[in-house]
Amino acid sequence: MLLNLAIPASAPMITAPVPIFLTVMAIILLTPLLLSRLKIPHVIGLILAGVAVGPYGLNLLARDMSFEVFGQVGILYLMFLAGIEIDMYHLRKNLRKGLTFGLFTFLIPLLLGAVVAVIVLKMEFLVGLLLASMFAAHTLIAYPIVARFGVTKSPAVIIAIAGTIVTVLGSLIVLAGVLGVYRDGSVKSLFSILGYLVLYCVGIVYVYPRLTRYFFKKYNDGIPQFIYIMVMVFFAAALASWIGIEGVFGAFFAGLVLNRFIPARSILMGRLEFVGNAIFIPYFLIGVGMLIDLHVVMDGWGTLYVAAVMSAVAMSTKWLAAYATQKVFRLTGTDRSIMYQLSNAHTAVALAVVTIGYGMHLFGVDVLNATVVMILVTCTVSSLGTERAASRLKLQLLEQAEEESATKDDAAHPRTLIAISNPLTAPGIVELALSMRFPDSSMPGDLYALHVRNDNSASSRAIGRNTLDVAERSAAAVEVELTPIERFDLNFITGVLNTMEERDITEVIIGLHRRTNVIDTFLGDKIERLLKSTNRMVVITRLFIPINTVTRIVVAVPKKAQFETGFRRWVQAIGNLCRQVGCRVEFWCEPGTALMIQAVIRQSRLGIRMSFADLLNFDDFVLKSNEVSDDDLMIVVSARRSSVSFDSDMDDVPEFLQRYFSTNNLIVLYPGQFGTEPPMTMAETMATDMVSAPSPIFLYAMTLLRRLKKGLQHKPAPRKPDGE
């Protein structure tokens, strides 16, 4: 809801559609370039540009319907991006802190603001409470700044975002209650809104995931998926507005629900961020600037006095809330600054409150003009403060990353080769490769895509070039540099092996072949020869559904897997994949191996949802395979014949996978072996986290009890193929 101020009588200088759009695009392009020299944040630059070209400035542009539409779309898009970019694991981890900060940053401004409004501004209690709801709510107008610094996943930012939704809902509830008293003389409307809110949240949580998973499975093309996300977001916002809740809540809530289906390193995420940051959000910021009339300061000292009081209360109470949260949870000063500055800007809800209050004659024109001044002051302070705080936080994170990299093994920065032969499957394999890597590991020269051909025909060269172009575009869409390699060699295996030696490759990702005849093996002759010729990690993948629609990852781990030199890397790869997809992972392994997996996950600070189940022999694997559904991803960690973890039962695994998992999503992973990385030790495991990790002695005792219990039970028969 935007503020309808009196527009100057003079007509704007630019009225034709094309020149209007050209002017806006020129502002979006030139403003950051010019003001970056003056160290002024882009957010403030766009707002000031809106002031300059708007009806209260040079009057170049009118605040017509295009700015009404794009302004609303921009604020909704801003809240939606905040929702989908949240790390859900860290949101759950910091949810208590976020709710606490939300209560502080809502109640402190509400209570103190109401007192100041009654005592200083001489308002009635309910009118003062309505004005205080304007102080309580805030807008994440500085969110693009923290996104530009790449600190959106830091705990302080997540706490501030979680607190935002509390303040928005709280302020809207107060608004509904006050208006209900003035209109109907009761608060019945408040209870109806709360009831609608519960039904709304339950409906979105139930319908959106199921509908999204179905749509993404059926339509894997990028454009339909992008349009689908837009429809879901704005439908949620429109539905929220229809039941009496501000649309920003609907957009943010839709972002949280859809977060699971939009991995951070995906083409879809790149497109969503690009469109929002390039068009919608700048349009919103320019529109906010066009609302601001600097001439209101000339209306007399009354407006300046009210504006000074409102601005002081709005900023000081938000600082008190951030300070209280810092003391309660013992956060750093930088965390407090991030929380305060992100919650300091007042725009969307403030405009809604003052518009409704002014229309019902609860607020005078002095409050109307003072609100405009308050918006300008708080947005300026918030943007400048967020820029400084985000830069300090980024430096701290970089220093911490350097300290960790000094002790982190080379597996954190692998050199990956993606062997591709088909342009249709290339995007999926590239996305899988990116998902299995650490976010900071995609440095120039460590990700390669290879296409091998053994003839020089024009058609063969065209297929190879097209395949590599598709892979390169898929990586570029998420701003990752991928080096394409087109190679002419004797055969596929020779080309892969020669490339691995030339580029010092540490892991290979390749698609599983399709059986062409009865005597063909499950892995195929090419992959079997590749496994015999290299000891590097090899990932063989076959996915029937997009990786972001997987509901669970199941990992079958062989005995003594922790003693292989590549153990740490494959655990990190699966942990990164789980974190990107946002689902939980279940490891089937021995209890001793489970301890080592937990140690690697903690040391790598992956923060994923994981569980463990005992897998002691091949019969257990056969029985538990019945639990794998079509929406799960089955990862089988195998081993080469001469390795420590090889077992004779592994000879039966390929045939079993072919007979019973022919329609399942599958990854067969061969860890790196005989390398230079030292294997995990029990001492390293116990030293990882003595406080949060269960005692090894306790786990060992529980393992003995489980084995004793299993020994007293009858072992069920293995699953038989259909027809037997």
Side-chain angles (χ1 to χ4, degrees):
M1 184 178 298
L2 299 175
L3 190 59
N4 295 319
L5 300 177
I7 302 297
S10 58
M13 298 176 61
I14 302 176
T15 56
V18 174
I20 289 176
F21 194 75
L22 171 63
T23 304
V24 174
M25 290 295 102
I27 292 173
I28 296 174
L29 172 65
L30 298 177
T31 298
L33 298 178
L34 296 176
L35 295 183
S36 60
R37 299 175 178 268
L38 303 176
K39 306 299 182 180
I40 298 177
H42 300 171
V43 173
I44 289 299
L46 292 172
I47 294 177
L48 294 178
V51 175
V53 303
Y56 301 105
L58 300 176
N59 198 24
L60 295 177
L61 300 175
R63 200 175 191 286
D64 56 11
M65 184 56 65
S66 66
F67 284 96
E68 293 282 345
V69 173
F70 278 93
Q72 279 291 305
V73 171
I75 184 61
L76 296 178
Y77 212 101
L78 182 65
M79 296 300 294
F80 166 66
L81 285 182
I84 62 172
E85 290 183 354
I86 286 182
D87 189 316
M88 296 305 293
Y89 172 81
H90 286 91
L91 175 61
R92 288 187 292 268
K93 186 177 179 180
N94 295 283
L95 185 60
R96 184 170 62 92
K97 297 178 183 178
L99 294 178
T100 303
F101 173 68
L103 292 176
F104 281 152
T105 198
F106 170 70
L107 294 176
I108 293 177
L110 182 70
L111 298 178
L112 294 182
V115 172
V116 172
V118 172
I119 297 177
V120 179
L121 300 181
K122 309 300 182 183
M123 295 182 176
E124 297 180 3
F125 175 73
L126 286 180
V127 177
L129 190 64
L130 182 63
L131 182 69
S133 67
M134 183 191 308
F135 305 145
H138 58 263
T139 305
L140 293 173
I141 199 170
Y143 183 79
I145 296 176
V146 296
R148 180 161 52 88
F149 277 94
V151 295
T152 56
K153 298 185 184 301
S154 66
V157 176
I158 293 175
I159 291 171
I161 295 174
T164 298
I165 204 63
V166 176
T167 63
V168 170
L169 275 179
S171 297
L172 294 177
I173 290 173
V174 172
L175 174 63
V178 173
L179 295 181
V181 172
Y182 273 99
R183 289 172 178 170
D184 307 325
S186 65
V187 292
K188 292 182 180 179
S189 60
L190 174 61
F191 293 104
S192 63
I193 288 179
L194 292 177
Y196 284 136
L197 176 62
V198 173
L199 294 176
Y200 173 86
C201 293
V202 172
I204 294 294
V205 169
Y206 181 81
V207 174
Y208 269 39
R210 290 163 174 80
L211 189 60
T212 302
R213 184 173 288 109
Y214 169 79
F215 188 90
F216 280 13
K217 287 181 181 179
K218 192 172 182 63
Y219 303 98
N220 198 23
D221 186 68
I223 295 178
Q225 289 186 355
F226 178 85
I227 300 300
Y228 168 82
I229 293 296
M230 292 293 95
V231 171
M232 292 293 100
V233 171
F234 291 107
F235 176 77
L239 185 60
S241 300
W242 181 72
I243 64 176
I245 305 172
E246 192 69 18
V248 293
F249 170 78
F252 180 79
F253 193 69
L256 288 180
V257 175
L258 296 174
N259 181 295
R260 159 74 176 78
F261 302 95
I262 309 175
R265 283 192 170 186
S266 64
I267 298 176
L268 180 58
M269 174 64 85
R271 289 171 175 168
L272 290 170
E273 290 181 333
F274 173 80
V275 172
N277 294 326
I279 298 179
F280 291 139
I281 295 176
Y283 237 110
F284 161 69
L285 296 173
I286 295 173
V288 170
M290 297 176 73
L291 288 172
I292 297 174
D293 183 7
L294 297 179
H295 296 91
V296 298
V297 298
M298 307 300 295
D299 289 346
W301 289 105
T303 299
L304 287 178
Y305 173 73
V306 176
V309 171
M310 292 175 60
S311 300
V313 172
M315 292 189 294
S316 61
T317 53
K318 290 293 183 180
W319 185 89
L320 287 175
Y323 180 77
T325 306
Q326 177 197 4
K327 293 302 180 182
V328 170
F329 296 107
R330 299 179 180 179
L331 303 177
T332 64
T334 303
D335 292 338
R336 182 198 65 223
S337 298
I338 287 288
M339 292 186 298
Y340 166 58
Q341 299 297 354
L342 282 177
S343 62
N344 196 22
H346 298 71
T347 305
V349 178
L351 292 174
V353 171
V354 75
T355 301
I356 295 174
Y358 183 72
M360 296 183 63
H361 305 291
L362 300 177
F363 296 144
V365 69
D366 55 342
V367 175
L368 181 71
N369 292 331
T371 301
V372 176
V373 177
M374 183 193 71
I375 290 173
L376 177 61
V377 171
T378 57
C379 288
T380 302
V381 173
S382 175
S383 300
L384 293 173
T386 302
E387 180 99 7
R388 291 193 297 268
S391 63
R392 292 199 306 269
L393 180 60
K394 184 65 174 180
L395 288 176
Q396 293 176 3
L397 294 177
L398 289 175
E399 292 174 356
Q400 182 181 355
E402 290 178 357
E403 294 176 357
E404 292 179 355
S405 63
T407 58
K408 188 181 292 185
D409 54 272
D410 293 336
H413 298 284
R415 297 174 65 85
T416 306
L417 179 66
I418 307 170
I420 51 178
S421 58
N422 190 335
L424 297 178
T425 59
I429 299 179
V430 171
E431 186 173 358
L432 176 66
L434 294 175
S435 299
M436 299 180 77
R437 295 156 61 85
F438 281 96
D440 60 347
S441 65
S442 292
M443 299 180 296
D446 67 353
L447 183 63
Y448 303 88
L450 172 67
H451 178 83
V452 180
R453 55 184 174 84
N454 56 9
D455 66 84
N456 274 325
S457 63
S459 60
S460 179
R461 289 198 300 268
I463 293 174
R465 189 64 260 171
N466 183 34
T467 302
L468 293 175
D469 287 343
V470 171
E472 196 172 6
R473 286 197 301 268
S474 300
V478 291
E479 299 182 355
V480 174
E481 182 177 341
L482 180 144
T483 303
I485 303 174
E486 185 178 8
R487 190 180 188 97
F488 176 83
D489 220 314
L490 295 175
N491 53 58
F492 174 79
I493 298 303
T494 304
V496 172
L497 293 175
N498 289 337
T499 304
M500 292 176 65
E501 293 299 325
E502 294 169 1
R503 307 283 181 162
D504 194 22
I505 298 299
T506 61
E507 58 192 44
V508 179
I509 299 180
I510 186 172
L512 182 64
H513 85 305
R514 294 185 178 181
R515 295 183 67 175
T516 57
N517 52 62
V518 178
I519 63 174
D520 197 5
T521 61
F522 174 70
L523 295 177
D525 179 64
K526 292 181 179 180
I527 295 180
E528 289 179 351
R529 285 191 288 130
L530 176 64
L531 293 172
K532 293 177 181 179
S533 304
T534 180
N535 58 7
R536 307 297 173 87
M537 187 172 88
V538 178
V539 179
I540 307 156
T541 175
R542 183 193 65 196
L543 296 176
F544 294 104
I545 62 176
I547 190 66
N548 58 332
T549 60
V550 171
T551 58
R552 184 183 59 153
I553 297 177
V554 177
V555 186
V557 185
K559 299 177 181 179
K560 304 177 183 179
Q562 66 271 27
F563 300 115
E564 301 289 355
T565 53
F567 173 77
R568 189 191 307 269
R569 171 54 196 150
W570 73 254
V571 174
Q572 290 174 342
I574 293 176
N576 284 320
L577 176 62
C578 178
R579 186 173 181 179
Q580 286 291 317
V581 176
C583 64
R584 68 183 180 91
V585 58
E586 182 175 336
F587 291 95
W588 298 348
C589 58
E590 288 185 323
T593 307
L595 286 174
M596 302 300 183
I597 293 175
Q598 290 175 347
V600 174
I601 296 296
R602 291 194 192 94
Q603 289 173 351
S604 305
R605 299 185 178 182
L606 291 172
I608 58 176
R609 294 179 295 160
M610 57 182 176
S611 59
F612 296 88
D614 287 345
L615 184 66
L616 305 179
N617 49 51
F618 183 70
D619 288 340
D620 290 344
F621 174 71
V622 172
L623 292 173
K624 293 188 69 64
S625 62
N626 290 296
E627 303 173 6
V628 180
S629 67
D630 292 339
D631 289 333
D632 293 338
L633 171 59
M634 180 70 183
I635 300 180
V636 178
V637 180
S638 191
R640 297 169 176 86
R641 280 190 169 273
S642 56
S643 61
V644 177
S645 58
F646 180 80
D647 188 274
S648 58
D649 289 334
M650 290 184 180
D651 292 334
D652 299 328
V653 172
E655 181 63 25
F656 177 79
L657 294 177
Q658 176 62 35
R659 298 182 69 181
Y660 299 108
F661 285 83
S662 59
T663 60
N664 291 86
N665 309 296
L666 184 65
I667 289 179
V668 182
L669 190 151
Y670 286 82
Q673 292 159 327
F674 320 114
T676 58
E677 179 189 350
M680 293 287 293
T681 63
M682 181 59 72
E684 185 179 8
T685 305
M686 296 174 62
T688 302
D689 192 350
M690 294 298 293
V691 177
S692 59
S695 168
I697 298 177
F698 172 76
L699 289 176
Y700 183 69
M702 294 301 296
T703 302
L704 291 179
L705 290 176
R706 285 197 298 267
R707 289 183 177 179
L708 179 61
K709 182 179 179 181
K710 284 188 175 182
L712 298 176
Q713 297 175 346
H714 294 289
K715 183 175 295 185
R719 181 172 63 175
K720 295 183 178 180
D722 296 337
E724 289 191 9

